[in-house]
Structures are given as C-alpha cells and as structure tokens.
Amino acid sequence: MADEVILLDYWASPFGMRVRIALAEKGIKHEYKEEDLRNKSPLLLQMNPVHKKIPVLIHNGKSICESLIAVQYIDEVWNEKSPLLPSDPYQRSQARFWADYVDKKIYEVGKNLWTKKGEEQEAAKKEFVEAHKLLEQELGDKTYFGGDKIGFVDVALIPFYTWFKGYETFGNINVEKECPKFIAWAKRCMQVESISKSVPDQDKVYGFMVEIRKKFGLE
Amino acid sequence: MATNQEHVKLLGATGSPFVCRVQIALKLKGIEYEFLEENLATKSELLLKYNPVHKKVPVFVHNDKPISESLVILEYIDEVWKQNPILPTDPHQRALARFWSKFIDDKIVSASSKSVFTLDEKEREKNVEETTEALQFLQNELKGKYFGGEEFNFVDIAAVFVAFWIPLVQDIIGLQLFTAEKFPKLYNWSQEFLDHPVVKETIPPREPLFAFFKGRYESLLAASK
C-alpha cells in the first residue's frame, strides 16, 4: 500500500516551512494543500480540532500537529536517509533544547521587532540581537547546527530567515552587521536544495508583511 | 548498567512541578541520583553554569553533561534507561504523547496560574475560561486508566501539574477551576495517578507548598495596596 502524505499549510508560515523542508530532505512524495486562514477547510478543522492551525501533516489518514512534532515524526518514520536528529541521546537532547529555544524565543522577538513601535521596538531589537548572538555561539565553527549536514535545529530555525527583509526594514536593523556568522549560516542553508525549494523568497514574504501592517494599522 | 547509574544529578527545587516530572521518571525507572536543592532567589554558580540560557530548574546532569527543559529531559531519560518506558514505540503514538505534553505546557500551565495569581477580575475570568477549555480537551483525550493506558506514561507525568498543583493553588482563593463536578473523568485520573506508589512518594508535602503559594498571593495583595 502506497503511503498517502498530505500537508495542510500556508505559504508564508515559518512553521509550515519546517515540515516542507523535512519532507523534501527525505524525498517524501506528498500533496500540498494551501489553506485560506480566513476560511479554514473542514479537513483542517477535523485534523487539528484543538488548535485549528497549520501546519498539519496527514499520514495515511492520521494527523500530526505542531511543526517540530511533525518533523520528529517524519524523521522517525522515514529513517533510511538524511537523519535530522543525531543518533547519540545527549546530542539529541541538545538538538531538542535548541529547537525549543527557537520556538520560545525567535518567533516572539521577530514578531515584536516588526509590529511594535518606539521603546517597545528598541527593546525588541536588543532581544533580537541577543538571541541571534546566542545562536551564533551555539553554532560555533560548525557548518550547520547539525554538523556537516542540516539537522533538526537548522530546519527549525532557517524559515525565519525568509522574514528578515521585513524585520530589517520595519525593525530598522542590519542583521548582517550585528550577527554576521548567523547570516553566513543562513546563506549556506539557502544553498541546500531541500531548503531553497521549500521556502518563499524574502521579497514575497516582505510584500506579505507590508499587507499585514496595512491591514492592522501598524504603520 | 553501572556506568549509566553513576554521576546522575538533578538540580531542582522542592515544589516545582517541572522538577517533579523528572523525579517521577527517575523513580519509575529506579535511577539513583543526587538531588541538589536550588534556592531560586539566589541561584547557585552551578545552576548558572549548567543552564546559562534559561537559568531555571530542573537541570539534569549525566556524567557532567547538563540537560535543561523538563520534557527534553524526560525524552533523554527514556532513551538512556530503557526499563519502564514512558514513550510509546509507535511513531504516531509518540507524536500524540508529545502533542499533549506540549499542550499542557502551552495551554494549561500559564492560564491556570494566571487564574489564581491576579487581582484583575477580568484577567481571572479570561484565564479561567481558557483553562476550562483546555482541561476539557485534555479530559477528552483520556481513554483508559491513565493517558498511557494501563500504565502511566509521558503525558501523565507532564500532567502532574494538573493533578497536584492546580487543586493546590486554586484552594488559595477558593476557585472552583478543576473539580470533580466539572471534570469527573479527569478528576478520577488525578486521584489514581497521585495514589500510584511512584507518584505518591515523589510529590512534595502539600502543607508547606500551600503555605508558600498562599504567601505569594498575599504578597500580590499587599503590593496592590
């Protein structure tokens, strides 16, 4: 019986991008379904009744929700090639810790950077730089967080890079100047096929952010 | 086996639900460890060294290598010490266990605490509503004796917060947040779980913890005057 894999997603979502990258890394044939987030499909509401959010991975009719949980699932089921988590338990725990850090910190600091003003934005800028410097420290001299090949943390983190044009423009920040190693890592990631073909380009995301700012009167 | 049981330390604080999770897993698997009680007001050099990112407990240290974040620690413990597994082997079941544990952390911990530790009635109402909805979802997930079925597992352990901490803090202000009337199935689960020998021996003494949280609430009251 052939595997049926469906991904419910939204093109600009960094969380959706994580799952797309994992599916591409493993070469998993799947159906991509773009959701209209203002008019969620019955399938989405049925497959993620708790959060009603994307991404949702559906494998042979069973749903897996929450992007990092879906990425781990993909890694465990399609385990013959391109492992995303290391095999050593301690290394795995560190990968999970840093992916959790990305979830707790990076989404928030990025969001605050482009949606807040004045003092709040200044504070957000400081936090943004600190968080990315910490990640630079964790990366160290490695090519990727996963070592020689991309791993769990790279997959968790790289999608946010697609939002950087907006962060820099609206947040009035030059990330390359503040965190050159981070940008170097991001550019290396964008050379990886499974990443570059799974994420939108910064200009397209920037256009989306402009629309959101207009819609919510954030200008 | 001997090498796995050497040099196991847990930096914690009696009274922390997150530390308790780790202690339950260690007790279940029969792992001996050294417990280092942290004073969270004056954090030790060791804590700051082992968890420079969050500066929080629990921190699990195995052969001098530290791991932080309770759910990350639980996964590590389960991978290294294979007796009495707490995560299922089936990938989809594992994904569900991870989903519900994260749900507890994201949707229940903060909202339930804010339901009690606030003086703003509108804030309380909002958080009570959120917690109630979340507890309903969690209750619906309970299909057997435990979330893990016949034996307790990862989700049950994560949910010790619901079983022990929520009833305790809600008593401070007489809030009927998690009760037998409102959540009969979940309440029954909590009594079974707290009565399990492993859990019973691990949860902190109720009286001192209640006094501690009551003190915290009273400070909140005093500060507003």
Side-chain angles (χ1 to χ4, degrees), chain A residues 70-135:
Chain A
V71 172
Q72 283 187 88
Y73 175 84
I74 288 168
D75 203 42
E76 285 175 17
V77 173
W78 288 273
N79 56 13
E80 338 78 40
K81 76 179 257 204
S82 302
L84 294 171
L85 276 150
S87 47
D88 170 70
Y90 186 72
Q91 295 304 321
R92 289 160 77 82
S93 77
Q94 296 311 289
R96 288 184 175 124
F97 173 85
W98 285 104
D100 174 71
Y101 177 81
V102 173
D103 261 4
K104 283 186 161 87
K105 263 286 187 199
I106 301 300
Y107 176 66
E108 267 318 293
V109 298
K111 189 174 83 163
N112 288 342
L113 190 58
W114 72 285
T115 58
K116 305 264 186 214
K117 288 193 164 87
E119 261 181 50
E120 277 189 297
Q121 194 185 52
E122 281 308 305
K125 261 169 92 167
K126 196 161 166 272
E127 273 199 80
F128 185 90
V129 172
E130 264 168 28
H132 286 82
K133 281 199 151 88
L134 188 61
L135 288 167

Side-chain angles (χ1 to χ4, degrees), chain B residues 4 17 34 38 51 65 79 98 113 122 161 204 215:
Chain B
N4 276 350
E34 188 190 346
E38 282 288 325
N51 190 0
K65 296 200 258 187
E79 285 175 16
R98 287 173 177 141
S113 303
K122 269 205 150 69
F161 177 86

Side-chain angles (χ1 to χ4, degrees), chain A residues 55-80:
Chain A
V56 178
L57 182 72
I58 309 172
H59 183 206
N60 296 332
K62 292 198 211 168
S63 64
I64 298 104
C65 307
E66 296 301 300
S67 60
L68 293 182
I69 294 175
V71 172
Q72 283 187 88
Y73 175 84
I74 288 168
D75 203 42
E76 285 175 17
V77 173
W78 288 273
N79 56 13
E80 338 78 40

